[in-house]
Amino acid sequence: MLPEPFKTSDNGTFGEFTATQRWPTIIQNAIDDMNTELQSQSGECKKQGEAIAAQLVELRDEVAGNAPLRPFTHRETEIAAVPSCFNEYLADSRHQGATWFNAGWLFTEVYMYRRMNVLFKTHPLWTQFDIFNRLKQSTFHSSLHGVVELALRYKNLRLQLDKLSTQHDDETLRILFKEFIDISLWGNATDLSLLTNATLEDIKSIQGAQARKNAESKIVIDDTAKAWDALLKARTTARVDFVLDNSGFELYADLMLAAFLIHSNLVKNCVFHGKDIPYMVSDTMRKDFSALLEDLEDTKFFPTDDQASREALDVFAQDIRKLVKDGQLEFRADPFWTTDLDYWNLDPSETKYHGAQLHSDLVKSNLVIFKGDLNYRKLTGDRKWPRTTPWAEAIGPLATNGITLLSLRTCKADVQVGLPEGLDEKLSHAWEKDHPGKGSWWTSSGKWAVICFHSSR
Ligand SMILES: O=P(O)(O)OC[C@@]1(O)O[C@H](CO)[C@@H](O)[C@@H]1O
Ligand SMILES: [Mg+2]
Ligand SMILES: [Mn+2]
């Protein structure tokens, strides 16, 4: 018998907190950004925008008032191309009486972003407007320091990668792989000290290893070595896929990892899977991918009077553009990724919303990297598994249907599996000290991470 998915009505859970406290705030932030945007609009555009803002207020009140979850109307479905999986869920006998604060957390959260998108798609002058764009861009802009630091490191390493791959210095490549995985995992410039413009010897040295140990202590499950072995087996012609999470620095770190894999001749090409609508506030759309490259080359967006830094940013952006032009890096955005379907549907059995299509393509990949917490929730069905449940059990059909996967997850939700006996109790006890009654929320704090691999080949 499968455990139930987490619900927004589960007392004392982070999911309940997210629904009741964070969702109204997220919508209010969107209303505020809309009102800011409207100050520079006029005429019909302003009129439509004001209508959207008013409907966002209604949506906020609907959520805050714990209203029933309504199906999308025929008109909304037609104009906004809403996949019918949402209405199917709401029509399902098991989900009758669903309200915002009493329904599946995963479904309701994804449904909320779809409800917001419908408001824009049903106003002709606003169909392509990303209400989260201002926030995405300002967040990336404020990460200038980490962006420049990483660009300098990369430029330094880039020169040495050719040598490493011809010398077959796999040990150094393995260490660098781990570095780039860690940076992609945390999606920010946490611990760049290991990639200072030190020589490779330094990185291999004792203090490099010590600094790495410190960063590693927060990674409570680490299958990096298994992913490394999978790449070594497929080296020089491997394909690696990234099911993306956030735009901005996290996407930048993912691009760094992809460039490292390709230029170290381990991997031939990478496929990035983004979102087709604005989603979870910060998730990556095609336009965010293009904007990131433009931002790197924009002296106003990333001002630096340091010539070396300026050059490092330009070199990286040009390197990525070349990989795209040469077909070694591809960006796709299948509608499946923004449905409420969990990833047990990445399987031949799911033939309505592209699950089967994506599965037949992803089995050709040597490694599918799923980034972030929401993807982890979808891999495990966001279910109330005991936290020691084996990873292979929690990912259901993905354990046997031929996809080789790696989840790089910073822990930001209630669901957690794969822990050794006793660890949850230990970390809950520690977290309880500063968070009375919320000890189990250590898995929702973003302070710990897991790197979970599985291959059925
Ligand atoms: O996928 P990400 O960006 O790592 O995290 C997504 C997230 O912030 O949103 C949901 C709660 O609103 C949770 O899955 C998680 O906290
Ligand atoms: Mg994330
Ligand atoms: Mn995200």
Side-chain angles (χ1 to χ4, degrees):
M1 193 52 185
L2 282 181
E4 282 303 300
F6 281 95
K7 294 184 72 174
T8 53
S9 50
D10 288 334
N11 272 336
T13 60
F14 182 70
E16 180 197 44
F17 170 78
T18 298
T20 56
Q21 309 305 316
R22 291 178 61 207
W23 290 349
T25 308
I26 287 169
I27 301 174
Q28 185 56 53
N29 293 341
I31 293 163
D32 297 345
D33 280 355
M34 202 54 197
N35 289 331
T36 306
E37 179 68 25
L38 285 172
Q39 283 160 18
S40 57
Q41 298 292 348
S42 60
E44 178 59 18
C45 194
K46 183 171 177 111
K47 200 158 138 281
Q48 290 182 16
E50 284 165 346
I52 293 169
Q55 288 169 28
L56 282 169
V57 169
E58 285 168 13
L59 179 61
R60 181 203 62 201
D61 293 346
E62 208 188 292
V63 174
N66 190 19
L69 300 182
R70 71 162 175 80
F72 290 99
T73 64
H74 182 69
R75 175 178 172 272
E76 288 172 331
T77 303
E78 287 295 294
I79 296 176
V82 180
S84 49
C85 50
F86 295 98
N87 285 2
E88 281 170 9
Y89 178 98
L90 293 172
D92 186 309
S93 57
R94 292 166 297 173
H95 306 136
Q96 291 319 295
T99 66
W100 286 92
F101 301 155
N102 180 26
W105 177 17
L106 180 63
F107 171 82
T108 312
E109 190 152 46
V110 173
Y111 167 84
M112 183 179 86
Y113 290 100
R114 186 61 65 165
R115 284 287 304 272
M116 293 176 81
N117 184 248
V118 161
L119 299 183
F120 290 91
K121 286 282 176 23
T122 50
H123 289 85
L125 298 176
W126 292 83
T127 58
Q128 296 311 310
F129 184 76
D130 173 4
I131 185 60
F132 304 122
N133 192 64
R134 196 196 56 74
L135 183 59
K136 285 172 181 174
Q137 283 295 91
S138 62
T139 310
F140 189 42
H141 173 77
S142 61
S143 57
L144 167 71
H145 175 70
V147 167
V148 169
E149 292 289 281
L150 198 45
L152 287 166
R153 310 294 186 283
Y154 178 76
K155 188 162 171 287
N156 171 293
L157 278 175
R158 178 81 179 79
L159 308 172
Q160 304 177 67
L161 284 184
D162 299 339
K163 191 174 69 180
L164 283 179
S165 54
T166 44
Q167 284 170 352
H168 276 289
D169 181 349
D170 286 357
E171 177 48 18
T172 306
L173 279 180
R174 187 188 62 74
I175 291 174
L176 290 172
F177 175 67
K178 179 66 191 142
E179 293 304 314
F180 281 105
I181 284 282
D182 283 0
I183 292 165
S184 172
L185 164 71
W186 293 108
N188 52 42
T190 35
D191 190 357
L192 282 172
S193 58
L194 300 180
L195 277 176
T196 52
N197 42 18
T199 63
L200 297 175
E201 281 56 48
D202 294 5
I203 287 179
K204 279 198 294 191
S205 71
I206 300 299
Q207 98 270 4
Q210 186 46 53
R212 206 180 351 274
K213 272 280 136 285
N214 300 341
E216 242 79 298
S217 65
K218 289 292 188 190
I219 302 176
V220 294
I221 298 170
D222 189 349
D223 289 344
T224 304
K226 294 180 185 167
W228 176 248
D229 292 343
L231 290 181
L232 282 186
K233 265 196 291 198
R235 97 185 303 164
T236 75
T237 61
R239 165 184 156 183
V240 172
D241 286 60
F242 290 68
V243 179
L244 298 175
D245 182 12
N246 302 331
S247 59
F249 195 93
E250 184 167 358
L251 173 62
Y252 177 66
D254 296 338
L255 287 167
M256 282 278 168
L257 173 55
F260 162 73
L261 290 172
I262 292 170
H263 292 310
S264 57
N265 295 325
L266 282 163
V267 167
K268 184 164 157 298
N269 69 301
C270 289
V271 182
F272 275 32
H273 302 271
K275 304 300 190 294
D276 63 336
I277 64 166
Y279 191 79
M280 305 298 284
V281 180
S282 46
D283 277 25
T284 304
M285 298 172 70
R286 186 187 303 280
K287 65 157 182 75
D288 302 317
F289 181 91
S290 321
L292 183 141
L293 297 178
E294 282 143 34
D295 292 345
L296 292 178
E297 294 171 323
D298 180 345
T299 54
K300 283 183 291 308
F301 190 87
F302 279 136
T304 169
D305 46 18
D306 173 58
Q307 195 42 38
S309 302
R310 172 88 276 139
E311 200 192 310
L313 293 174
D314 290 345
V315 159
F316 183 68
Q318 282 142 28
D319 189 7
I320 297 300
R321 288 190 197 284
K322 186 168 183 324
L323 291 180
V324 172
K325 192 167 68 58
D326 296 349
Q328 287 188 277
L329 177 61
E330 187 188 343
F331 191 97
R332 298 181 197 164
D334 190 289
F336 173 85
W337 304 114
T338 54
T339 66
D340 63 295
L341 272 62
D342 67 31
Y343 294 161
W344 287 30
N345 290 286
L346 284 172
D347 186 82
S349 60
E350 199 296 298
T351 56
K352 284 187 74 176
Y353 303 104
H354 295 188
Q357 265 167 278
L358 284 166
H359 171 266
S360 67
D361 181 50
L362 291 176
V363 290
K364 296 178 205 146
S365 179
N366 297 95
L367 185 65
V368 183
I369 299 175
F370 290 87
K371 292 297 311 305
D373 186 83
L374 183 78
N375 280 328
Y376 182 90
R377 292 172 60 204
K378 287 191 170 184
L379 285 165
T380 57
D382 206 31
R383 293 179 181 277
K384 299 177 186 171
W385 303 100
R387 289 183 167 178
T388 51
T389 305
W391 173 241
E393 182 181 343
I395 60 175
L398 285 167
T400 53
N401 70 10
I403 289 176
T404 298
L405 60 92
L406 182 72
S407 170
L408 298 187
R409 183 231 184 172
T410 44
C411 305
K412 292 198 286 184
D414 299 295
V415 62
Q416 180 61 57
V417 294
L419 299 180
E421 284 300 333
L423 183 61
D424 182 31
E425 291 73 10
K426 180 166 160 267
L427 294 177
S428 297
H429 181 70
W431 192 251
E432 176 80 27
K433 284 202 185 67
D434 298 337
H435 308 86
K438 298 272 187 302
S440 70
W441 287 29
W442 70 266
T443 65
S444 302
S445 65
K447 298 275 184 289
W448 284 272
V450 292
I451 299 177
C452 308
F453 176 87
H454 187 84
S455 177
S456 49
R457 281 188 291 200

